[in-house]
Amino acid sequence: MTARRGAAACTVLRAIGIGVALAAAAPAAPGPGRDPLPLSDYVDPLIGTGDDDEGDTIPGPTLPAGSIHPSPNTITAATSNAGYDRAAPLSGFAQLHTQGSGGVPSYGTFLVSPQTGPLATAEAEHLSPKRDERARADGYRVTLARYGTDVEIAPAHHAALYRFTFPNSGDAHLLFDVTRKIMGELGTAGSEVTLFPEQGKIVGRVRTRHYWSPAEVDIWFVARVDAKPTAWESIAPMSAPPARRARARPRTSRCGRGGRSAARVASP
């Protein structure tokens, strides 16, 4: 996961890891009877998105047989089981979704919200209009107009690769909402978040509740940032206490049944 400022500060927050690779292999030169475009260019991930229960698909990119389905999320009252209304502002980007299912709203788990300025922890308070949304088979990108932040997503089989390009000035944050599900509902029977500041890593768990199955199932995630944050904190219940400086020792925050849990990372 890459968090960076604009061009003037790229050397400060230069990607340590591989960053996000959206480029595909160059297509073969067109010839007689050969289509000049790669087949992936004909894929439109926005087909089937909407709030009419007639598609319930997500616009985010996913590899065949991939275990992760990253996609933008909205929280309008009529949002389908995919968690995305094309006409609504975005609340963030969740990692697990269903496709074309309808039924009980499920997943939309582990929402990431990039923000600038004062941190907003309640989902309805950090909605952002979108600009320049582009969905392809191999990647998704959009600009969050409220925060002036560009977001790019590329899929791996078991991970989502993000790049966040923040404006050059002001505070920048990444909020991880661990216990929410589709439509911003609370879907947990318990959760925990452990911060590893020196490793730039967050480990989290939620015990799902009120999904399709009556069984309560644990879902885990690990997130790693490649730019050293200036501050970390975990929030339970969902509120915004004063920021605490990061410690080298891991810290774990646990939230009981029905509570809300989140983690916040501040970017330099």
Side-chain angles (χ1 to χ4, degrees), residues 138-212:
D138 57 354
Y140 173 91
R141 65 185 303 166
V142 71
T143 297
L144 300 179
R146 173 178 175 178
Y147 301 113
T149 296
D150 296 331
V151 180
E152 300 167 81
I153 311 173
H157 277 291
H158 304 298
L161 307 178
Y162 285 82
R163 180 162 59 194
F164 303 103
T165 303
F166 295 101
N168 286 325
S169 59
D171 294 333
H173 314 274
L174 289 178
L175 176 74
F176 294 79
D177 192 338
V178 177
T179 51
R180 63 89 69 179
K181 67 171 186 172
I182 295 299
M183 299 190 204
E185 296 179 0
L186 189 66
T188 177
S191 63
E192 65 182 47
V193 176
T194 303
L195 308 179
F196 298 86
E198 294 304 312
Q199 301 177 41
K201 185 171 73 174
I202 301 171
V203 178
R205 173 195 66 87
V206 63
R207 173 150 290 200
T208 63
R209 176 183 255 188
H210 299 149
Y211 283 33
W212 286 305

